[in-house]
Amino acid sequence: MSSQHPKDTKNPKFGHLPLSTSGPEECALTGTALLRSPYHNKGSAFLPSERNEFKLYGHLPPNVQTLEEQVRRAYQQYSSRSDELAKNTFMESMKAQNEVLYYKLIQEHLKDMFPIIYTPTEGLAIQNYSRLFRRPEGCFLNILDKGRIEDNLAQRGNPDDVDYIVVTDGEEILGIGDQGVGGVLISVAKLVLTTLCAGIHPSRTLPVVLDCGTDNRDLLNDELYLGLRQPRVRGQEYDDFVDAFVQSATKLFPKAYVHFEDFGLSNARRILDRYRSQISCFNDDVQGTGCITLAAIMSGLHVSGLELKDMRMVIFGSGSAGIGIADQVRDAIATESGKSKNDAAKQIWCLDKPGLLLKSHGDALTTGQKVFARDDWEGQNDLLSVIKEIKPHILIGTSTKPKAFTEDVIGEMSKHVDRPMIFPLSNPTRLHEADPKDIYAWSQGKALIATGSPFPPVSYNGRSYEVAECNNSTAFPGIGLGCVLARSKFLSDKMLVAAVKAIAAKSPALEDPNKGLVPDVVDVREISVSVAMAVIGQAVEEGLATEEEIPKDEGELEEWVREQMWEPRYRPLVRVDREKAGKHARGELGSGGVAEQA
């Protein structure tokens, strides 16, 4: 039984690239050490020649199986687990043993497994982190040990070994709040999505948690809690801790892209604003949600025959996600129309707990909210009153307030707009501002809808409508891939707009207005190729790309991108001498690397 995959032979044009995924792969491990390396391990799929070369005879049953046969067995095992959390734990165990099989299994059953490996089940795993803990994964930095930050990070590889870092402080996790050190699992989960959705090499990623303590009383009172058992540190000491991490990470891994994830409301935007002009970085809560929502808006504008510069938008819920959406839409208006950002912001009305945001709210407003606060407002400032006054084309929900979009609200929007865009985006499903089937009924089928969680198609008046899901996973992995491959100095506003346009161009609604406003997550790898190409092209245009070998021809650029996207397949292994081998060949890179002495 031998592999016949076309990429088993080196790509003649781009096979020399450090991130090339064609041709054989070097490996310095043998015997049980090889079987313990999740990146190199093939389990029962090791070929007879490999079993001989790598001293695996006697360590494995004799029958050689294909990856497809392994996937069938693994899916049977997965399906036998009793509940979602047990399935999540099973998948984590598989990832620690065989990464190729883990990713291939998810790829084959993406719709089924996405809610297991990510929200909502991953949130439950994070809540139970200290109780389910088996083995550490990621880099744990704590605020009481700032002097060791650089040394701790340095153990994760050489300057060229890390491409993508996800870091969290665990304060605002997946809508379930402060989870302290358990937040490391959101860093791990996001990196899984970058590999699954965009081919970021799993051995070249680094999940990090910044443990500053926790204000979660349940964790502080839990004798099994593994993090710092103290209230969260804030203020200058916190800022110095974050800065020590950023400076050490960028010094040690100067080509790495830094992804900030699930920081608290008071810190997320502030940290992003501080560093985005210094390093290549991104915040998914602030920018990712905004990007995929803007893509849905652009598709909706195409369907409704409206231009971005003419639309009016109301955002209900002005936290990190809501203001992040407002920012992306404002920037896109400014980019497309030539308006100033201040003028573009006047097309957006933001509401939060006090109602419509007003400048008179003063210090109660966050830095991000102040940009969209109104000078004055004479009428009532509740949602329905604002809609009556503004007559918006678009209504966004990021409030986590269930059923906030009432029949009166939807009916009022539908009076004044031919195709109102209504996006209840709060997660999980129980916190949605409205159910799509109610929105269609109350708008008499006029509404263009996108949601924050998956919903089945809705039937209304004999027609079937697909409900688009604004899933960040169709945005942030491709953006990250583009920045990694371009080795971009920064991630600019125009690069984000280019990504949005690439996603919007794939919208099924462009062909049929009854279909989704944004592409389905099952098509995410192809979407990520388009997004990465758009991001790279814009980085080159702005002079931000530092990679010197980026092809100018679009066809060659696509081949160049695809050649560097990791995929779950077993590559032929070539044995190399351990003393001369790099960390990758020794299985020491990535969160699942084996110990050096193995």
Side-chain angles (χ1 to χ4, degrees):
M1 184 184 300
S2 62
S3 172
Q4 300 295 320
H5 196 284
K7 291 188 76 172
D8 285 351
T9 303
K10 275 282 185 188
N11 182 304
K13 198 180 299 182
F14 300 121
H16 67 284
L17 296 170
L19 298 183
S20 167
T21 57
S22 64
E25 198 164 35
E26 293 184 347
C27 179
L29 302 173
T30 60
T32 55
L34 175 53
L35 296 175
R36 287 202 303 267
S37 168
Y39 191 83
H40 292 106
N41 183 27
K42 301 181 183 182
S44 60
F46 278 109
L47 300 175
S49 58
E50 292 173 325
R51 296 181 184 211
N52 183 62
E53 181 70 16
F54 292 93
K55 302 185 183 301
L56 294 173
Y57 277 112
H59 293 292
L60 293 166
N63 188 28
V64 177
Q65 294 188 311
T66 65
L67 177 56
E68 290 70 27
E69 288 172 324
Q70 290 179 318
V71 166
R72 286 198 294 273
R73 178 173 57 243
Y75 188 65
Q76 289 177 5
Q77 295 170 345
Y78 166 88
S79 300
S80 72
R81 294 320 191 253
S82 58
D83 57 44
E84 284 74 11
L85 187 57
K87 289 177 177 177
N88 176 281
T89 303
F90 171 81
M91 294 302 292
E92 283 301 304
S93 177
M94 176 177 290
K95 183 155 71 75
Q97 298 171 55
N98 184 331
E99 287 190 337
V100 169
L101 179 56
Y102 169 81
Y103 284 106
K104 187 66 173 178
L105 178 61
I106 300 171
Q107 196 176 76
E108 293 292 315
H109 301 277
L110 187 59
K111 281 282 195 181
D112 178 14
M113 292 187 169
F114 204 94
I116 300 298
I117 63 164
Y118 194 52
T119 181
T121 311
E122 186 66 14
L124 189 59
I126 291 169
Q127 286 179 303
N128 289 277
Y129 176 74
S130 293
R131 295 183 173 273
L132 296 175
F133 181 83
R134 294 182 180 178
R135 63 189 293 273
E137 185 173 8
C139 184
F140 300 82
L141 306 176
N142 80 75
I143 200 164
L144 302 184
D145 215 1
K146 291 194 289 289
R148 286 200 176 97
I149 290 176
E150 186 168 331
D151 181 62
N152 291 347
L153 289 171
Q155 297 175 46
R156 302 297 167 150
N158 297 321
D160 291 335
D161 288 336
V162 177
D163 291 329
Y164 201 124
I165 299 170
V166 175
V167 59
T168 185
D169 71 353
E171 186 173 7
E172 196 60 51
I173 300 291
L174 292 175
I176 57 174
D178 189 343
Q179 298 302 316
V181 76
V184 70
L185 290 187
I186 196 60
S187 296
V188 171
K190 284 289 185 176
L191 286 170
V192 164
L193 295 183
T194 67
T195 297
L196 182 69
C197 301
I200 298 293
H201 294 232
S203 66
R204 298 178 61 83
T205 64
L206 177 57
V208 178
V209 63
L210 304 178
D211 190 349
C212 312
T214 178
D215 292 335
N216 185 326
R217 301 306 305 176
D218 291 339
L219 295 180
L220 291 173
N221 293 329
D222 185 351
E223 62 181 10
L224 296 181
Y225 178 59
L226 289 166
L228 290 178
R229 200 182 297 273
Q230 65 176 44
R232 277 191 175 272
V233 174
R234 302 188 184 276
Q236 190 61 49
E237 186 178 357
Y238 171 87
D239 288 350
D240 291 344
F241 180 43
V242 173
D243 191 59
F245 158 74
V246 171
Q247 300 307 326
S248 295
T250 53
K251 172 185 173 183
L252 293 166
F253 311 116
K255 297 180 180 179
Y257 172 80
V258 179
H259 173 141
F260 297 106
E261 183 69 28
D262 285 347
F263 283 73
L265 177 61
S266 62
N267 293 319
R269 170 165 299 280
R270 192 172 58 82
I271 291 171
L272 178 65
D273 288 345
R274 177 175 180 179
Y275 293 108
R276 68 176 305 211
S277 62
Q278 301 177 32
I279 63 172
S280 185
C281 66
F282 175 82
N283 184 304
D284 193 39
D285 309 290
V286 175
Q287 296 168 299
T289 303
C291 283
I292 189 61
T293 306
L294 177 56
I297 289 171
M298 286 185 164
S299 301
L301 293 174
H302 176 87
V303 171
S304 59
L306 193 67
E307 292 190 32
L308 198 59
K309 65 181 179 63
D310 299 319
M311 69 87 204
R312 297 180 297 279
M313 181 171 75
V314 168
I315 296 178
F316 184 68
S318 299
S320 295
I323 295 299
I325 292 168
D327 278 343
Q328 293 301 322
V329 175
R330 176 204 61 192
D331 292 348
I333 293 170
T335 299
E336 295 291 293
S337 68
K339 291 183 180 181
S340 69
K341 287 189 177 184
N342 285 339
D343 284 342
K346 293 176 182 176
Q347 295 178 221
I348 303 168
W349 287 258
C350 296
L351 290 85
D352 209 59
K353 291 176 183 177
L356 184 67
L357 299 185
L358 303 173
K359 289 185 177 176
S360 59
H361 292 145
D363 292 341
L365 300 173
T366 66
T367 302
Q369 289 173 339
K370 288 177 181 177
V371 176
F372 299 97
R374 296 277 154 174
D375 288 315
D376 52 55
W377 183 261
E378 294 182 357
Q380 297 293 313
N381 67 352
D382 61 286
L383 178 60
L384 181 58
S385 298
V386 171
I387 287 175
K388 285 181 177 179
E389 180 68 23
I390 299 305
K391 301 177 178 58
H393 304 92
I394 304 165
L395 174 61
I396 307 287
T398 49
S399 67
T400 67
K401 185 177 179 182
K403 309 300 181 185
F405 294 174
T406 63
E407 183 173 2
D408 287 344
V409 166
I410 303 302
E412 185 64 33
M413 278 199 72
S414 303
K415 284 181 186 177
H416 309 288
V417 179
D418 288 336
R419 300 302 303 269
M421 282 177 257
I422 301 170
F423 298 175
L425 300 180
S426 292
N427 279 317
T429 306
R430 61 184 173 80
L431 300 180
H432 264 42
E433 288 80 5
D435 191 299
K437 69 177 187 297
D438 291 330
I439 298 174
Y440 279 118
W442 296 336
S443 69
Q444 300 180 342
K446 294 166 62 177
L448 298 168
I449 302 173
T451 60
S453 295
F455 277 88
V458 173
S459 294
Y460 176 78
N461 272 359
R463 283 188 177 180
S464 179
Y465 298 86
E466 290 184 10
V467 180
E469 180 191 359
C470 281
N471 189 322
N472 289 21
S473 300
T474 53
F476 79 83
I479 294 170
L481 176 64
C483 288
V484 166
L485 297 186
R487 301 300 178 189
S488 181
K489 297 175 187 175
F490 317 116
L491 173 57
S492 70
D493 291 341
K494 289 183 178 180
M495 289 164 70
L496 290 172
V497 172
V500 168
K501 288 181 176 179
I503 297 168
K506 300 287 186 180
S507 167
L510 300 183
E511 300 294 330
D512 181 347
N514 295 332
K515 293 190 178 295
L517 292 176
V518 288
D520 196 289
V521 71
V522 296
D523 303 317
V524 67
R525 280 184 76 94
E526 289 303 307
I527 298 163
S528 291
V529 172
S530 298
V531 170
M533 290 174 63
V535 168
I536 292 167
Q538 187 61 42
V540 170
E541 185 174 322
E542 293 184 69
L544 296 177
T546 63
E547 173 58 50
E548 296 179 352
E549 294 190 45
I550 300 174
K552 293 181 172 60
D553 175 77
E554 188 168 343
E556 284 201 347
L557 176 60
E558 180 177 345
E559 184 182 354
W560 184 81
V561 169
R562 290 183 185 277
E563 172 64 20
Q564 298 179 85
M565 291 174 67
W566 186 88
E567 55 188 318
R569 66 178 183 87
Y570 292 135
R571 294 172 65 179
L573 295 182
V574 174
R575 187 174 173 183
V576 294
D577 183 77
R578 186 177 183 87
E579 298 305 315
K580 298 177 182 178
K583 284 180 175 288
H584 177 82
R586 297 200 302 267
E588 295 167 11
L589 297 180
S591 55
V594 297
E596 186 165 351
Q597 67 268 23

